[in-house]
Amino acid sequence: LMGDPTAPVAVLLIHGFGANTNHWRFNQPVIAKLAPTYAIDLLGFGRSDQPRARLKQEPADDTALHYGFDLWGQQVADFCCQVIDKPVLLIGNSIGGVVALRAAQLLGPGQCTRVVLIDCAPRLMDDEQLATQPAWMSWIRPLLKTMVSQRWLSTALFRNAARPGVIRRVLKQAYPSGANIDDALVDLLFQPTQRDGSAEAFRGFINLFDDYLAPELMQNLSIPVDLIWGEKDPWEPLPEAQRWCENIN
């Protein structure tokens, strides 16, 4: 927590895929001058627990979790009710935006005053997005699903990506300006990947082919939503945000 805890409305920052609370290291102190500001590590990321992933088609297991937006949305809603305990404005980046929308649904307008989406993930690999993909994607999709469901393969892909050099290259793609891409940023993303269960949330996430999409969550939400979008974002293209604004009242 940063800021005055007695203020009437708080802010909760929700990170994107592969990130954690420290990703807000420059934002949180500034926002905290206006309102008490919290940040949360979603389950599977940062310093939160990293339980074994269970895919929907796999048998129930008391030691495993199905990673998805119901889980993360409920985690955020519970945090708001049990820890913050006052009306809250949710700010989510990338998949954190989808989590914020799901949490806002669970909280309702009495507990959530507003949602701010920063380059919210459109989740183009979801089954509902298939019509927007090239024709060849529908041909290889069954094979793709079978392959990424294999734990050995998802773990190998994760370990290949969870290297400082790879993380730095990905950051340079994500942030074309190059600002703040330093050793501290690389390290704060790298360190959580060295924990024993770090590959599990990755496995769970890359197998989310039938979960919530941001537009459908917004259609059923009475809480105001603001969009902040980078014009040069290479992964979440600006036209996507423009379509959302045009199609969602």
Side-chain angles (χ1 to χ4, degrees):
L1 166 65
M2 294 184 183
D4 177 10
T6 65
V9 177
V11 173
L12 177 60
L13 304 171
I14 307 169
H15 63 78
F17 180 70
N20 55 67
T21 55
N22 291 327
H23 211 181
W24 301 102
R25 68 197 193 284
F26 296 125
N27 310 97
Q28 190 172 3
V30 176
I31 300 172
K33 294 177 182 178
L34 305 174
T37 305
Y38 298 77
I40 188 171
D41 281 332
L42 298 175
L43 282 167
F45 300 101
R47 291 166 293 181
S48 282
D49 289 346
Q50 297 174 326
R52 186 176 175 86
R54 181 185 66 81
L55 307 186
K56 279 189 174 181
Q57 67 271 23
E58 294 176 339
D61 181 347
D62 291 340
T63 66
L65 280 180
H66 175 65
Y67 286 99
F69 295 105
D70 276 332
L71 173 73
W72 291 318
Q74 190 64 61
Q75 178 194 357
V76 168
D78 290 345
F79 184 86
C80 291
C81 295
Q82 298 173 22
V83 178
I84 299 178
D85 193 27
K86 66 177 64 179
V88 64
L89 184 155
L90 301 176
I91 300 178
N93 171 232
S94 186
I95 68 162
V98 185
V99 175
L101 291 170
R102 180 63 183 129
Q105 278 190 335
L106 296 170
L107 289 167
Q111 293 175 286
C112 181
T113 63
R114 200 174 199 93
V115 177
V116 178
L117 307 181
I118 304 175
D119 294 69
C120 184
R123 300 195 53 250
L124 296 177
M125 291 304 293
D126 195 274
D127 288 341
E128 292 186 35
Q129 298 275 38
L130 190 56
T132 68
Q133 302 299 305
W136 57 264
M137 181 58 74
S138 63
W139 305 336
I140 69 166
R141 199 171 184 83
L143 176 61
L144 175 66
K145 287 183 175 182
T146 299
M147 290 180 63
V148 298
S149 69
Q150 306 302 310
R151 181 171 269 105
W152 67 267
L153 179 57
S154 64
T155 300
L157 291 172
F158 178 79
R159 292 301 172 203
N160 181 66
R163 294 180 291 157
V166 175
I167 292 172
R168 188 178 294 272
R169 288 196 295 273
V170 171
L171 288 170
K172 288 180 178 179
Q173 292 179 15
Y175 307 128
S177 70
N180 298 324
I181 300 177
D182 53 20
D183 290 343
L185 177 59
V186 172
D187 192 59
L188 73 85
L189 296 175
F190 171 69
Q191 288 302 327
T193 69
Q194 301 309 292
R195 296 174 59 196
D196 290 343
S198 57
E200 292 300 309
F202 177 81
R203 178 177 186 252
F205 180 73
I206 64 173
N207 281 279
L208 285 182
F209 292 105
D210 58 346
D211 211 324
Y212 296 102
L213 300 176
E216 68 185 18
L217 289 170
M218 284 188 278
Q219 290 281 16
N220 300 308
L221 199 64
S222 60
I223 299 165
V225 177
D226 296 308
L227 303 183
I228 299 176
W229 223 276
E231 292 182 344
K232 296 182 179 179
D233 190 318
W235 297 335
E236 329 294 4
L238 182 60
E240 186 75 13
Q242 293 168 333
R243 282 192 293 272
W244 294 358
C245 288
E246 293 168 1
N247 298 328
I248 299 171
N249 185 346

